[in-house]
Amino acid sequence: MISTAASPIPFSAKTQLKFHRTHDTLNVNPQIRRLKFTIRCSSSTSLREKSEEKSSSSADELKGGKDGEFLKSEKGDLVDFLPPIKVAKRVVLVRHGQSTWNAEGRIQGSSDFSILTQKGEAQAETSRQMLMDDSFDVCFSSPLIRSKRTAEIIWDARKEEIITDADLREIDLYSFQGLLKHEGKAKYGSAYRQWQIDAANFIIDGHYPVRELWERARNCWSRILTHESKSVLVVAHNAVNQALVATAIGLGTEYFRILLQSNCGVSVLDFTPQPEGGSPSICLNRLNQTPNSPIAAGSSAGRKASTRIILVCHGISQSVAEDSIPHSGDGSMNMLGIIQAQKTAELLLDLKLKTVVSSPKIASTETANTICRVQEAADCLGADCVPRYVEMKEIGDLDIEHILRKSKKDAPALQAFQPGWLDGFDKEVTTSLWSQSGKAWKCLLAELAAGSEEENVLVAVGHPALHIAMLGHCLNLTEEWIGTFHLDAGSISVVDFPDGATGRGIIRCINYTAHLGRWSIPITRPTSDDENF
């Protein structure tokens, strides 16, 4: 059954859309560059992005400061806008499968002229199988054909309703819509260039599409979170799913194209009510779990990326039950950990690795050694092959477990399978963790910059807490975000660098576990306390 939260809107690729308000308060002098800070508002009628003007002499300074350091987002600059909730909610976002215009390289925007390709239908079927054992209370869908069809395939025989919401449509690109990418470049020149390198300030036909998209995403969260449901499926599009993730965790329009959403990629957000009321706590449980391999060759935010860091969480160790911290790596891996390490090594076989770096902890070094051995063995299957050596380095800066053990809080409060579990540590512990992870991230960037191969890939193995904090440094966040991300043992997260090791990192996926097969943690169902979801 399909109902609508708003009336469907007819879209045209050639006719300028008329149903948007022009945000006069957002008009800017084109001679002045602006650094965007998102302000969370409590009123849904005044959900505006406020701008703090920062003069800059070049687009490069807008993106980054001196010595390639990017301007940091401050969580303190945000005002909560999400409505309070009474029970925990899990929201699963899925991008539609490949469409005919995706395949053609045509700019879709919010036009409604493309349908799923055969590959897109197959991707949606894979997502259906991935989610078939999960119970959802409701499904929200974009009204556009490609997303509605994907939602119907995933929803299958479920009897609960599918609600179409016009605000879940793809980003409105006005005159760009319907053009092939080379046509857009030829016809619009500088405007198309700005769309590529400075999308947050991109303007066309008197509109700022990315800013409008962020406002729509906030409006969507108000309806999704106030719906009487505990588990929600949302099927929409690339840009709008990016905006939903970003606005939920408090990131502004400058993060557009930083959190990738592949065709039928799945992202999971956990919302936990606050005892005193107010906006809930948010944790990004995983980002962009795709039907295909996350390390497959391809583009990153539309650009070729051959430089990347792959963060591998070590397998579960035998000491996990007795240790005072979650996912301790002090002991050798147990049987499940060995399987996790082997499955990760098999996933990475498509890459020709030169170096694997690791925390000196036992579980991390065992995981790293497994990856190296499988890489070397794969090149020696023929009778006349020459063995390839994969270097394994232990790096002390990747060890953070001694910091976590300083926590004075009780171990039961630090269950790693709970959303935002790092927030359970003492303030001085998280501050030390943040500082140490910053050193570790700089160490990885230095290792990556030292690589000379055309395909420059660095694999780093360590504790989930370290990788969570390093993802925050990659995104140029502050310590306050440390509980916003979640990683499981045996998972991988991939960061692409389309502009090389000194450029900005693009997050391809976070907490990817599909490679673990039957030993993976279910993509949407919680690992404990089902009553909370």
Side-chain angles (χ1 to χ4, degrees):
M1 180 173 94
I2 298 180
S3 64
T4 57
S7 299
I9 298 171
F11 300 100
S12 170
K14 298 182 179 179
T15 304
Q16 179 177 327
L17 304 183
K18 300 294 186 183
F19 51 83
H20 284 295
R21 298 185 302 274
T22 299
H23 306 303
D24 293 332
T25 58
L26 292 175
N27 289 341
V28 298
N29 183 334
Q31 302 303 316
I32 295 178
R33 314 299 297 174
R34 294 193 173 204
L35 173 64
K36 300 287 295 171
F37 290 99
T38 301
I39 306 298
R40 287 181 167 180
C41 306
S42 58
S43 171
S44 62
T45 61
S46 61
L47 293 172
R48 304 284 184 180
E49 289 183 346
K50 309 299 184 184
S51 297
E52 179 178 319
E53 292 188 7
K54 298 282 186 180
S55 295
S56 170
S57 60
S58 69
D60 289 339
E61 288 184 22
L62 177 68
K63 292 192 221 174
K66 295 180 180 179
D67 301 323
E69 290 193 7
F70 295 97
L71 298 164
K72 291 185 179 294
S73 290
E74 298 288 341
K75 204 169 188 180
D77 291 329
L78 305 175
V79 179
D80 291 332
F81 78 95
L82 295 173
I85 57 176
K86 296 180 179 179
V87 295
K89 284 179 179 279
R90 176 161 283 182
V91 178
V92 178
L93 306 176
V94 183
R95 181 188 174 189
H96 64 77
Q98 185 195 61
S99 72
T100 49
W101 281 20
N102 286 152
E104 293 173 18
R106 197 174 291 277
I107 301 171
Q108 293 189 107
S110 55
S111 62
D112 203 12
F113 295 102
S114 65
I115 61 174
L116 293 187
T117 63
Q118 186 175 0
K119 179 179 180 179
E121 296 261 348
Q123 289 171 331
E125 173 60 23
T126 300
S127 294
R128 184 193 71 79
Q129 294 176 19
M130 189 186 301
L131 302 172
M132 66 187 302
D133 292 329
D134 294 286
S135 61
F136 293 102
D137 301 317
V138 66
C139 174
F140 284 84
S141 171
S142 159
L144 304 186
I145 294 171
R146 54 194 186 273
S147 281
K148 280 172 50 178
R149 176 58 183 154
T150 302
E152 290 165 357
I153 292 173
I154 296 173
W155 208 236
D156 196 29
R158 290 182 176 93
K159 295 181 180 179
E160 294 83 2
E161 63 180 342
I162 297 177
I163 299 174
T164 58
D165 190 325
D167 277 345
L168 286 173
R169 70 188 182 276
E170 184 56 299
I171 185 172
D172 300 315
L173 291 176
Y174 306 99
S175 294
F176 270 15
Q177 294 179 177
L179 299 175
L180 293 169
K181 292 177 182 178
H182 73 270
E183 293 174 340
K185 184 177 181 179
K187 187 173 181 179
Y188 289 94
S190 60
Y192 188 81
R193 176 67 175 161
Q194 186 183 36
W195 167 239
Q196 289 181 310
I197 66 172
D198 186 18
N201 296 305
F202 164 66
I203 183 171
I204 186 170
D205 298 335
H207 294 266
Y208 290 87
V210 177
R211 300 181 191 182
E212 292 177 352
L213 179 67
W214 250 242
E215 182 171 341
R216 276 204 274 121
R218 295 190 190 96
N219 291 334
C220 287
W221 279 125
S222 296
R223 291 189 288 277
I224 291 169
L225 293 180
T226 55
H227 189 276
E228 294 183 358
S229 56
K230 294 182 179 180
S231 184
V232 182
L233 175 67
V234 177
V235 183
H237 306 265
N238 177 16
V240 72
N241 282 7
Q242 289 184 53
L244 287 168
V245 172
T247 54
I249 63 179
L251 302 179
T253 52
E254 68 271 22
Y255 284 87
F256 181 61
R257 296 200 186 105
I258 300 299
L259 305 168
L260 292 193
Q261 299 288 311
S262 304
N263 286 122
C264 279
V266 177
S267 300
V268 181
L269 287 151
D270 287 323
F271 297 83
T272 305
Q274 298 281 20
E276 68 278 9
S279 290
S281 299
I282 306 104
C283 181
L284 182 59
N285 186 282
R286 68 186 67 223
L287 177 81
N288 201 29
Q289 179 135 319
T290 55
N292 56 318
S293 170
I295 63 170
S299 63
S300 188
R303 292 181 292 161
K304 189 71 174 178
S306 58
T307 301
R308 60 176 45 164
I309 292 175
I310 300 177
L311 302 175
V312 175
C313 293
H314 65 66
I316 294 177
S317 71
Q318 294 175 353
S319 63
V320 69
E322 306 87 40
D323 207 282
S324 61
I325 64 170
H327 295 318
S328 170
D330 271 347
S332 293
M333 290 186 292
N334 60 20
M335 185 55 67
L336 177 56
I338 292 171
I339 293 172
Q340 290 171 331
Q342 185 70 29
K343 290 290 185 180
T344 298
E346 292 171 5
L347 177 70
L348 298 176
L349 272 178
D350 288 338
L351 304 173
K352 297 292 185 181
L353 300 178
K354 298 296 183 182
T355 305
V356 177
V357 300
S358 167
S359 159
K361 292 299 183 183
I362 297 173
S364 291
T365 58
E366 288 181 347
T367 300
N369 276 318
T370 299
I371 294 170
C372 291
R373 288 197 303 269
V374 170
Q375 282 275 321
E376 293 168 348
D379 271 7
C380 285
L381 298 180
D384 58 350
C385 70
V386 177
R388 177 170 60 89
Y389 174 67
V390 179
E391 182 182 18
M392 202 278 276
K393 296 182 182 179
E394 292 183 17
I395 298 179
D397 281 344
L398 300 186
D399 178 16
I400 48 84
E401 294 189 31
H402 62 287
I403 295 174
L404 300 183
R405 286 193 175 83
K406 294 178 181 178
S407 179
K408 299 179 179 62
K409 294 189 177 181
D410 294 336
L414 303 176
Q415 298 299 316
F417 44 70
Q418 294 292 346
W421 61 279
L422 279 176
D423 284 335
F425 286 96
D426 304 300
K427 171 66 174 176
E428 56 268 29
V429 170
T430 56
T431 298
S432 296
L433 170 61
W434 187 255
S435 176
Q436 183 60 39
S437 62
K439 296 177 184 177
W441 182 245
K442 288 181 179 178
C443 179
L444 295 189
L445 292 178
E447 286 280 345
L448 191 67
S452 58
E453 301 294 322
E454 182 177 346
E455 187 177 81
N456 187 12
V457 179
L458 178 68
V459 172
V461 185
H463 190 280
L466 170 69
H467 292 173
I468 287 171
M470 287 199 298
L471 286 168
H473 285 288
C474 173
L475 291 168
N476 288 286
L477 304 178
T478 55
E479 181 186 333
E480 289 76 13
W481 264 276
I482 204 164
T484 304
F485 305 97
H486 177 85
L487 293 176
D488 293 305
S491 69
I492 73 164
S493 301
V494 180
V495 183
D496 287 343
F497 295 86
D499 298 315
T502 59
R504 192 176 188 184
I506 308 293
I507 310 297
R508 176 169 288 275
C509 66
I510 294 175
N511 202 27
Y512 183 92
T513 60
H515 63 292
L516 302 178
R518 62 183 295 185
W519 294 279
S520 67
I521 293 174
I523 190 167
T524 59
R525 288 183 297 174
T527 56
S528 69
D529 196 5
D530 284 334
E531 292 299 313
N532 281 338
F533 290 89

